[in-house]
Amino acid sequence: MELHGSTEANLVAAVRSARRLRNHPVHADTLKHWEDLLRQARRDLAAGSGDKASMEPVIIELQNEIASRTA
């Protein structure tokens, strides 16, 4: 996955988009991108790159946004 900027910045942008798009249909490619971003964030944290304290809440928030669309 190629990101522009940090993983954390991309997570924050994804959460903002997800909030903005609540109650609206979201394209399958967008959901896939968000899921790929979550996987990348988890890999970064597992590798020790990234601030766990600031990234974990954003990861959880994006997971919840995705779950609300796929439930």
Side-chain angles (χ1 to χ4, degrees), residues 19-51:
R19 287 180 189 157
R20 189 175 55 252
L21 294 170
R22 272 191 195 144
N23 302 316
H24 295 281
V26 177
H27 196 276
D29 286 348
T30 300
L31 285 172
K32 182 182 178 323
H33 173 73
W34 291 345
E35 290 165 351
D36 290 347
L37 183 56
L38 286 173
R39 278 191 289 282
Q40 181 64 46
R42 289 185 196 110
R43 279 193 297 266
D44 287 355
L45 289 179
S49 60
D51 179 24

Side-chain angles (χ1 to χ4, degrees), residues 17 20 23 41 43 52-55 64 67:
S17 293
R20 189 175 55 252
N23 302 316
R43 279 193 297 266
K52 185 176 182 178
S54 64
M55 283 179 63
N64 292 338

